[in-house]
Amino acid sequence: MIKLGIIGLARSGRSTVFRALTASSQDGEYLRGRDSDQIGVVFVPDERVDLLTGMYHPKKRTYAQVEYLLPAQQMSTEPLAKEPGTWKLVRHCDALIHVVRNFSEPGGEPPNSEADFRKLEQELILADFMVAEKRIERIESEKKRGRKINEEEFSLIKASLSVLEEERPLRDVPELAASPLLRGYTFLSAKPVLLLFNNTDEDNSAPNWVKKKEELNPTVVRGELEMELAQMSADDAEEFLTEFDISTSALDRVIRRSYELLGLISFFTVGEDEVKAWTIKKDTVALDAADVIHSDIKRGFIRAEVVAYQDLMNAGGYQEAKKQGRVRLEGKGYTVADGDIIHFRFNV
Ligand SMILES: Nc1nc2c(ncn2[C@@H]2O[C@H](COP(=O)(O)OP(=O)(O)OP(=O)(O)O)[C@@H](O)[C@H]2O)c(=O)[nH]1
Ligand SMILES: [Mg+2]
């Protein structure tokens, strides 16, 4: 399950956004209370699961899931980097959702989203800098004492430090951000970021920044509006969507963006028992997709019987798709495509 950490300066609307993204999903559940860190697990909305369910009438339908993490601690009021606890919850996230205030505060303070963004970005960089610096000191002292050290790791960490010294996030340097040798450091600025502008009800546009940050996948949400929406019945919601001209809910859009950002796709298994969505990285081969379901299926892998979602829908049923020659037999090395419906043949 992918984990998304919600960060943002104090009063940026993190709690509001978290509620919009979680309280929402009727099937979603709260795992913890409000005063502590909050964790919300939600189902990934996917129309394909619904339509496949309509075709198979399974006993059970299972959507993919996403976990949102909201640290209790306020960000920005203290020099964060000195507080190890602040970042603890989000250290092991797959990506960060950076909420930036783009509405006037009740007191009247107009938003300054670009400066706000940079402020917290600097905190991420500083926190990483301190981790890197400490590690370098330790390695150097081991070296002095004649211990054998991992030179490759040492040079990667020094390279990271110099990027951070320039006040640049590690995600700017993919070789470092993706390096397996650095994974254990859980660098915050190495994580992919989804930039979320939190707007007022009336406004649905992104602010104009001097330095554009397209690589951060800017997404505009109207936090309070979306939070109300998330708590409505389906009928009320429909009316509301039209009134405020919302074509897709924040929940939908944020998840979609997160999948894009992390290079994730879905494949499906279908049958009378269950229709289920599985999440994998793009370019995953059939053998590894099998492993996501069960290691036995990987071990005993024979073939994957594959049909593209659209082909199955066009045919109107599996047997029809077969007759039309749309069902393929693929081997271990087949690259799974988004929407593939797969039956694994295996033998253990
Ligand atoms: N106009 C407007 N106000 C909002 C929106 N989202 C949040 N607010 C207001 O901004 C204030 C802060 O929102 P929260 O969601 O509590 O923000 P937070 O980042 O969790 O704040 P702290 O946890 O207190 O640091 C509240 O008064 C909200 O009502 C929004 O989309 N539009
Ligand atoms: Mg809050």
Side-chain angles (χ1 to χ4, degrees):
M1 190 176 357
I2 65 166
K3 291 181 197 292
L4 303 169
I6 299 178
I7 62 169
L9 293 181
R11 312 305 287 163
S12 57
R14 293 170 302 141
S15 297
T16 306
V17 165
F18 177 80
R19 264 173 248 154
L21 295 177
T22 57
S24 57
S25 158
Q26 313 224 305
D27 303 307
E29 59 179 313
Y30 274 108
L31 298 183
R32 285 204 213 155
R34 302 245 150 142
D35 300 328
S36 52
D37 293 338
Q38 287 178 55
I39 300 178
V41 177
V42 303
F43 293 107
V44 176
D46 192 334
E47 189 192 60
R48 296 171 299 183
V49 173
D50 303 328
L51 293 173
L52 287 169
T53 298
M55 185 178 275
Y56 282 90
H57 306 290
K59 295 193 191 90
K60 195 173 165 203
R61 93 174 75 177
T62 309
Y63 298 93
Q65 293 184 323
V66 167
E67 188 171 302
Y68 289 107
L69 306 167
L70 179 69
Q73 201 137 10
Q74 293 219 344
M75 303 183 180
S76 90
T77 43
E78 309 282 325
L80 289 180
K82 295 192 187 69
E83 291 180 29
T86 309
W87 298 113
K88 202 166 167 224
L89 188 69
V90 297
R91 280 219 174 268
H92 296 282
C93 286
D94 300 296
L96 300 172
I97 295 178
H98 186 157
V99 179
V100 178
R101 180 170 67 90
N102 192 33
F103 57 87
S104 292
E105 273 179 348
E109 188 68 22
N112 188 346
S113 58
E114 193 168 1
D116 281 0
F117 169 80
R118 220 175 302 127
K119 191 168 171 191
L120 193 57
E121 177 91 332
Q122 289 310 317
E123 298 286 356
L124 301 177
I125 291 169
L126 182 60
D128 287 350
F129 180 86
M130 290 170 61
V131 169
E133 199 178 44
K134 212 166 167 188
R135 183 68 190 146
I136 287 171
E137 275 168 25
R138 174 159 311 161
I139 296 176
E140 274 169 347
S141 93
E142 293 203 339
K143 223 174 159 172
K144 255 187 222 138
R145 279 185 284 147
R147 295 252 178 84
K148 193 166 160 38
I149 60 146
N150 183 336
E151 290 291 348
E152 194 186 348
E153 179 190 342
F154 191 40
S155 92
L156 284 168
I157 190 103
K158 281 193 290 192
S160 303
L161 190 76
S162 60
V163 171
L164 296 162
E165 252 164 358
E166 294 167 20
E167 304 197 340
R168 290 166 63 205
L170 292 173
R171 78 182 89 86
D172 273 9
V173 188
E175 307 88 84
L176 294 174
S179 165
L181 278 174
L182 296 181
R183 196 164 296 148
Y185 296 96
T186 61
F187 284 129
L188 297 161
S189 75
K191 294 182 189 298
V193 171
L194 197 147
L195 173 57
L196 207 73
F197 294 116
N198 189 18
N199 282 25
T200 56
D201 296 5
E202 300 80 38
D203 175 20
N204 201 15
S205 54
N208 253 327
W209 282 14
V210 181
K211 282 192 183 163
K212 284 257 182 296
K213 290 271 178 197
E214 292 309 324
E215 74 280 11
L216 299 180
N217 295 275
T219 302
V220 176
V221 301
R222 290 171 279 180
E224 286 200 317
L225 191 73
E226 293 276 2
M227 185 178 78
E228 283 175 45
L229 176 66
Q231 287 154 358
M232 285 178 191
S233 70
D235 282 351
D236 291 346
E238 190 129 358
E239 223 169 276
F240 196 80
L241 290 171
T242 326
E243 187 182 337
F244 286 95
D245 190 27
I246 303 174
S247 55
T248 339
S249 68
L251 173 87
D252 260 40
R253 281 179 295 134
V254 168
I255 288 184
R256 211 165 295 166
R257 288 282 186 164
S258 309
Y259 268 57
E260 279 167 25
L261 186 65
L262 293 167
L264 299 173
I265 58 171
S266 308
F267 74 89
F268 306 101
T269 50
V270 297
E272 283 169 15
D273 283 336
E274 190 179 21
V275 163
K276 182 164 181 170
W278 303 86
T279 304
I280 51 173
K281 283 239 171 226
K282 237 182 256 168
D283 299 323
T284 296
V285 293
L287 190 66
D288 294 325
D291 195 31
V292 173
I293 300 177
H294 200 288
S295 56
D296 281 352
I297 305 182
K298 176 175 182 173
R299 203 153 45 85
F301 185 98
I302 301 168
R303 282 255 185 281
E305 202 175 299
V306 182
V307 58
Y309 174 79
Q310 208 47 59
D311 288 344
L312 176 62
M313 285 298 148
N314 292 346
Y318 204 83
Q319 289 316 318
E320 272 309 307
K322 231 176 188 165
K323 269 184 220 150
Q324 294 175 4
R326 297 296 182 178
V327 178
R328 294 165 274 134
L329 278 181
E330 302 282 4
K332 293 177 180 178
Y334 166 72
T335 303
V336 177
D338 188 39
D340 276 351
I341 286 120
I342 308 184
H343 287 108
F344 288 102
R345 296 187 187 166
F346 66 105
N347 185 0
V348 282

